[in-house]
Every structure is written in structure tokens, then in C-alpha cells.
Amino acid sequence: DAMVIQNPRYQVTQFGKPVTLSCSQTLNHNVMYWYQQKSSQAPKLLFHYYDKDFNNEADTPDNFQSRRPNTSFCFLDIRSPGLGDAAMYLCATSRGGIAGLVAKNIQYFGAGTRLSVL
Amino acid sequence: DAKTTQPNSMESNEEEPVHLPCNHSTISGTDYIHWYRQLPSQGPEYVIHGLTSNVNNRMASLAIAEDRKSSTLILHRATLRDAAVYYCILRDVAPAGNMLTFGGGTRLMVKP
């Protein structure tokens, strides 16, 4: 059974038209992450939520926003998609914990949403 | 996270063992060594992790050098389903250790 579910698997949007990608989890993990993966590249972390605390990576463009209304759901909003934002977007979850323990925590990934921008 | 170095690609024959190397010469004493793999058109999935001792699970084994400056992921019998990109990642114990910083990874090709 899928534990991290991303919808839709494929999303097409128009240049400049806002788009929202969704992620849900059945693991009750308190940390949720969004990664961007461009073609033939490794995943790159955009931001993560630790419970309700939002943590943005320093080089994540302002065009990318996120919402986490409850433990189970997290959304990625792209306010004005450009052609360069076409990528696979991956959601992941993990348990949080105190320093010294989190380094062992496994991340569980969804299958991703492939975004095309026309 | 400290950096890792992996070969870009490796080839294996089906049902033969595969040894995937990873160098991490700047590893700190508290860094955990994690391996994830990404099958085509899928999200990454956890494979194994360790700190100092060798580790075994149902998917693979992890052999860690005594000085911890390198490690090797061992798939005991490669199958076609093991064709994937394998990522070796170091995670430290600071709060930022929640993150996974992916490097280039090794693309494993399995021949029938």
C-alpha cells in the first residue's frame, strides 16, 4: 500500500499559470519534504515542514511556496511557472526527533509528479 | 552534509553480485552513511544505512571501511529490477541531519 501519495502523477500547466501539487501520507510522520528533480539530475531539496514549522532552503526561488494544513497533507504551489520549472517534484516524509537520532531516520518518497510547462 | 564520490555508472550481469563503491574522505565521526536508490520513473527508496559496523538487510549489505572514508553497497544477486541510480549520502547528527543531500549517484545497468 502506498504510504506517500502524490497527485497527480502528471501535470501540465501553461507558462505563468499557477499550479498546485499535492502530497498525502499515511505514516503519521511529522516531517514532510519537497524535492525538485530535473531531467538526469539528482533530487534537490526545496523546503521541508517539521510539524508546522516551515524551513526554506536558501536557494529556493520565491516562486515556490508550500502549505501544510494538517499532518497528513502538504501542497507545493508554483505561483508563476516558467519553462525552467518543468521537472519531477518529489514529496517525502520522515519521523522527526532530537539531534543525534534524526540522522538515522529513513525518508519515504512518493512516486512524484512530473510537471510540464507549455 | 559531507560530500561523497561515486562512479557515474556500472554494469552487472543478472544473478551476479554487485559492489557499488562510495568514497567519503571528509566524513565526520557522527555522520551516518545512507544508501537510497531510484528506479526509473519512481521516487527514491531507502536501501540501507550504517555508522561504523557492516550492516545487512533483506535488500543489501553495507560494508564500511575501518577508517570510514569509504563504503561499499553489496547486492548479492542482481536482478533486472535492481537497475536503478544508487545514491550514497552522509547524514550528520545536527538538526539539519533531517536533510538528504543527493550527489550524482551511480547508474547500475543489469544485463540479462
Side-chain angles (χ1 to χ4, degrees):
Chain A
D1 290 337
M3 297 178 289
V4 181
I5 303 155
Q6 292 189 245
N7 284 309
R9 288 295 310 276
Y10 301 92
Q11 175 75 57
V12 181
T13 191
Q14 291 179 331
F15 183 94
K17 185 175 180 181
V19 65
T20 295
L21 309 182
S22 73
C23 176
S24 63
Q25 55 137 337
T26 59
L27 296 163
N28 204 35
H29 285 166
N30 52 346
V31 192
M32 294 187 78
Y33 311 80
W34 281 102
Y35 291 84
Q36 179 192 62
Q37 185 174 25
K38 295 188 176 180
S39 182
S40 301
Q41 295 183 19
K44 181 177 180 297
L45 182 66
L46 294 173
F47 28 59
H48 77 279
Y49 273 96
Y50 194 122
D51 293 322
K52 295 187 177 184
D53 292 332
F54 178 70
N55 299 271
N56 202 25
E57 292 300 294
D59 55 355
T60 298
D62 292 339
N63 199 25
F64 292 87
Q65 304 285 319
S66 186
R67 295 170 284 135
R68 189 179 185 186
N70 54 52
T71 300
S72 301
F73 286 87
C74 195
F75 300 99
L76 170 62
D77 300 309
I78 308 177
R79 293 193 296 188
S80 181
L83 298 179
D85 296 327
M88 173 80 87
Y89 289 88
L90 295 160
C91 174
T93 74
S94 74
R95 285 185 297 157
I98 60 173
L101 296 179
V102 297
K104 297 189 289 185
N105 289 352
I106 296 167
Q107 286 195 13
Y108 295 84
F109 285 80
T113 294
R114 185 168 296 283
L115 178 69
S116 299
V117 182
L118 303 180
Chain B
D1 288 337
K3 292 192 73 172
T4 62
T5 304
Q6 299 177 253
N8 287 336
S9 64
M10 291 185 64
E11 259 189 17
S12 171
N13 293 318
E14 197 176 9
E15 300 197 4
E16 289 186 356
V18 181
H19 290 231
L20 297 165
C22 181
N23 287 322
H24 28 78
S25 58
T26 59
I27 192 171
S28 75
T30 51
D31 281 335
Y32 280 81
I33 302 161
H34 284 245
W35 285 82
Y36 282 72
R37 72 179 185 181
Q38 188 171 20
L39 302 169
S41 300
Q42 296 292 323
E45 65 174 343
Y46 167 79
V47 178
I48 200 166
H49 76 277
L51 183 61
T52 56
S53 305
N54 294 343
V55 184
N56 300 297
N57 67 21
R58 63 174 180 80
M59 289 181 72
S61 296
L62 177 60
I64 301 173
E66 199 169 327
D67 63 6
R68 300 207 330 124
K69 293 184 185 298
S70 65
S71 60
T72 302
L73 179 70
I74 302 165
L75 307 178
H76 296 286
R77 279 178 73 241
T79 69
L80 297 178
R81 195 197 172 276
D82 292 321
V85 179
Y86 287 79
Y87 295 100
C88 169
I89 301 166
L90 302 183
R91 300 181 70 190
D92 64 31
V93 298
N98 268 312
M99 310 316 149
L100 287 178
T101 303
F102 288 84
T106 296
R107 181 174 298 278
L108 175 66
M109 292 166 280
V110 180
K111 297 183 292 184

